[in-house]
Amino acid sequence: MNNERTYQFSDNRESGKKAVFVAIRQNAPIARIDIAKQTGLSPATVTSITAEMITKGLIEEVTNPNQNAARRGRPRVDLQVRSDAHLVAGMKLTDKYATVVIVDFVGNRVAEFSNPSPAAFQPAEDTRDFLQETLLMALDDAGLTIKALSGVGIGLPGVIDTDTGLVRWSPTIMERDVPLQQMLHDVLGVAVFIENDANLVALAEQRFGLGTKARNFIVITIEQGVGMGIVIDGKIYRGTGGGGAELGHTKVHLDGALCRCGQRGCLEAYVGDYALLREASTTMGPLSGANPEQQMQLLMKEAQSGNQTALSIFQRAGRMFSMGLANVVNIFAPELIILSGERLQYDFLYDDDVIASMKQSIVQVAGPPPEVRVHKWGDRMWAMGAATYALEGVIDLELHG
Ligand SMILES: [Zn+2]
């Protein structure tokens, strides 16, 4: 058993409850005394919190068979989460499709489903309808109904205010300040929790991915845009009203290339698909390929087969990306940077040159440069982050009302 204190929660009982639950879910079966060590809460507090959770049917006691055989006397009693206590769904929305994963209360995957989006950029009501339709299809596919779910977590790109459930802005929705959480709750009739997708990847990395041991780490997601999830002192940093962490729109060039956001010189305007294709069409003429994805594949093939112009486009993007990474390191000094996302198949963004160039641009005083790790996980894992978010939201509702 690892007795390090993985989470630092404030001493108040409310956040303590969540800490206790997370410790049990991640380390089950676990004894009360080890929960106390992990969370930093007193054994008496742990005993009282776990008693409440047992009464509410969220966790259960199990006798540890090894301890039983090893010594005489009272058998050691461990705790574990009751997998059948609740079912939740996690969803990821992109401009191409929605992915759903349904998990039990432990986080075991029960079902998964994917549905292509009818349009990349939709009015809010169409987005709501698409999410509802996709969720109902996923449930139907699994032989379940909406009544089986206790909560739905949804991750989408953009600025999401988790306190109010408002989508301040998203590249997938036409309007601004959309009360998507409430709109979905009204049609689904279950608790809905929405969050920025990169933050959900950070949560997934923290709970069961590469970040379980790190207190300060950064997740950089590379998809259509460049997203970032920041974990400081074990907590996701959300900025005011869900803003911030817009790594894609940090400036890497004065009066530089035009970005989708309307400004100039943004990182995304150099490393985003559209930026690479724009440069390719300027320098190499029109690309064949029916859509941007196919065109990107073709451009990548050109570079791999030695086309110097194509290669230079990717190398330039890599240099710009290393500058963006160095800026992040100079500001946050994380112990770990996780590069995550489907776009990582384009390895120009994380090859050795990029990492070496990043290391040359960082101020190194306190210690070695951060470890950079690449995590190529698909949409299912993003949806797992959303499901984890929903699980923890349901726990909050169960324990705090
Ligand atoms: Zn921008």
Side-chain angles (χ1 to χ4, degrees):
M1 175 59 55
N2 152 30
N3 288 333
E4 279 173 54
R5 279 173 60 176
T6 316
Y7 303 101
Q8 194 88 46
F9 287 85
S10 68
D11 228 8
N12 84 56
R13 196 177 149 82
E14 297 310 301
S15 60
K17 288 177 180 176
K18 194 163 164 185
V20 167
F21 189 85
V22 169
I24 297 172
R25 202 183 63 220
Q26 291 198 304
N27 303 290
I30 180 171
R32 288 174 178 83
I33 188 66
D34 292 326
I35 298 171
K37 283 178 193 159
Q38 283 224 357
T39 57
L41 297 166
S42 73
T45 305
V46 169
T47 299
S48 125
I49 290 174
T50 52
E52 184 188 347
M53 288 178 180
I54 291 170
T55 307
K56 291 193 166 160
L58 303 175
I59 60 170
E60 60 194 355
E61 289 186 324
V62 280
T63 321
N64 187 318
N66 298 332
Q67 292 281 331
N68 229 353
R71 34 171 136 137
R72 288 156 186 265
R74 211 161 64 140
R76 173 178 143 154
V77 175
D78 286 344
L79 296 168
Q80 66 183 21
V81 172
R82 280 187 56 179
S83 63
D84 60 349
H86 292 280
L87 278 182
V88 301
M91 302 184 75
K92 184 199 176 186
L93 176 69
T94 75
D95 54 0
K96 288 186 228 125
Y97 41 80
T99 311
V100 186
V101 55
I102 297 170
V103 303
D104 67 19
F105 210 43
V106 174
N108 298 316
R109 207 163 32 245
V110 173
E112 58 182 279
F113 189 82
S114 193
N115 192 21
S117 176
F121 189 54
Q122 305 190 89
E125 289 186 355
D126 292 0
T127 303
R128 175 202 60 197
D129 294 347
F130 173 62
L131 287 167
Q132 181 190 21
E133 174 199 288
T134 304
L135 179 62
L136 295 180
M137 284 163 82
L139 286 163
D140 194 48
D141 202 47
L144 296 165
T145 67
I146 190 76
K147 286 196 172 68
L149 294 183
S150 302
V152 181
I154 295 168
L156 67 165
V159 178
I160 317 295
D161 187 337
T162 53
D163 290 336
T164 57
L166 286 180
V167 178
R168 293 285 180 199
W169 170 83
S170 171
T172 59
I173 300 178
M174 283 176 182
E175 299 91 337
R176 293 197 172 208
D177 298 323
V178 173
L180 187 66
Q181 187 164 295
Q182 187 63 46
M183 287 165 70
L184 278 161
H185 173 74
D186 290 346
V187 294
L188 296 173
V190 297
V192 175
F193 312 91
I194 63 171
E195 171 64 292
N196 169 274
D197 54 3
N199 283 349
L200 291 179
V201 177
L203 179 68
E205 293 285 9
Q206 185 185 37
R207 294 291 190 253
F208 49 80
L210 301 177
T212 54
K213 297 275 181 271
R215 296 202 53 77
N216 298 299
F217 70 93
I218 305 270
V219 172
I220 294 174
T221 59
I222 305 147
E223 304 252 307
Q224 293 294 98
V226 180
M228 178 160 73
I230 305 168
V231 175
I232 299 176
D233 210 15
K235 285 184 181 158
I236 290 176
Y237 175 77
R238 290 198 170 84
T240 307
E246 290 291 343
L247 177 64
H249 303 284
T250 55
K251 308 298 181 273
V252 291
H253 203 304
L254 188 65
D255 298 330
L258 190 62
C259 178
R260 286 190 299 186
C261 74
Q263 299 185 0
R264 283 188 178 278
C266 298
L267 179 61
E268 208 173 286
Y270 293 94
V271 305
D273 284 8
Y274 72 93
L276 299 180
L277 293 175
R278 181 172 59 193
E279 209 186 328
S281 70
T282 314
T283 52
M284 300 165 66
L287 288 159
S288 50
N291 55 47
E293 211 164 298
Q294 284 182 16
Q295 290 174 340
M296 275 299 287
Q297 300 282 359
L298 284 172
L299 187 61
M300 196 71 203
K301 270 197 193 123
E302 284 291 320
Q304 281 161 348
S305 61
N307 181 324
Q308 285 304 311
T309 312
L311 195 60
S312 74
I313 290 171
F314 285 109
Q315 285 170 340
R316 181 161 182 251
R319 285 198 301 276
M320 288 297 188
F321 188 63
S322 75
M323 204 188 295
L325 278 184
N327 289 341
V328 167
V329 176
N330 284 333
I331 295 171
F332 293 103
E335 58 199 272
L336 170 68
I337 292 181
I338 303 168
L339 305 179
S340 167
E342 60 176 347
R343 212 52 42 152
L344 291 179
Q345 56 184 304
Y346 305 133
D347 51 8
F348 64 91
L349 283 180
Y350 60 90
D351 67 16
D352 294 344
D353 291 349
V354 171
I355 306 305
S357 151
M358 178 270 282
K359 286 178 181 169
Q360 279 166 14
S361 308
I362 61 177
V363 180
Q364 248 177 279
V365 178
E371 186 185 2
V372 179
R373 296 184 69 179
V374 176
H375 205 179
K376 296 183 194 182
W377 59 6
D379 280 316
R380 184 210 278 170
M381 294 311 288
W382 288 73
M384 280 301 285
T388 304
Y389 189 58
L391 274 181
E392 293 179 11
V394 167
I395 296 155
D396 275 344
L397 291 177
E398 279 281 340
L399 297 175
H400 311 143

